[in-house]
Amino acid sequence: MKDYIEERAIDIANYIIENNTTVRQTAKQFGISKSTVHKDVTERLEQINPALAGEARKVLEINKSERHIRGGLATKDKYMRERYLHQHA
């Protein structure tokens, strides 16, 4: 594996852990795809630093288990904004 890929995988894992970010947020921050973030954390990092990979996976699993809540809140906010704009138009 190329050095820059190994470095990126470590940087990604540290970023996820330190900032409690989702795959989407991490991908946007690093300018890479969600697939690459996932592959770096679950496959590549497992070979480089299994302990760090485990910590990053824990954060991602928590975020994954909570995403339905975030989605519901986003939908609620959307309709509240639309209602407010409609009432004040």
Side-chain angles (χ1 to χ4, degrees):
M1 190 178 328
K2 301 202 178 193
D3 289 341
Y4 75 92
I5 294 175
E6 290 182 6
E7 271 185 51
R8 183 186 66 208
I10 292 168
D11 290 345
I12 286 171
N14 286 323
Y15 182 79
I16 289 169
I17 294 163
E18 291 168 12
N19 299 290
N20 194 34
T21 58
T22 63
V23 171
R24 279 179 194 263
Q25 292 166 329
T26 305
K28 187 174 182 181
Q29 176 68 27
F30 284 84
I32 57 178
S33 71
K34 295 183 305 180
S35 301
T36 302
V37 171
H38 191 264
K39 186 167 187 151
D40 279 356
V41 173
T42 60
E43 294 177 24
R44 294 179 178 130
L45 194 59
E46 191 65 42
Q47 297 172 6
I48 303 165
N49 186 335
L52 185 61
E55 285 183 57
R57 263 198 322 276
K58 282 181 197 173
V59 173
L60 293 178
E61 285 300 317
I62 290 168
N63 288 335
K64 184 177 177 183
S65 71
E66 294 173 348
R67 76 178 164 198
H68 68 284
I69 296 168
R70 285 191 302 275
L73 292 174
T75 302
K76 178 184 173 187
D77 290 345
K78 173 186 171 187
Y79 286 110
M80 294 295 282
R81 277 192 306 277
E82 287 179 7
R83 183 176 174 192
Y84 177 81
L85 292 173
H86 181 67
Q87 289 175 347
H88 294 90

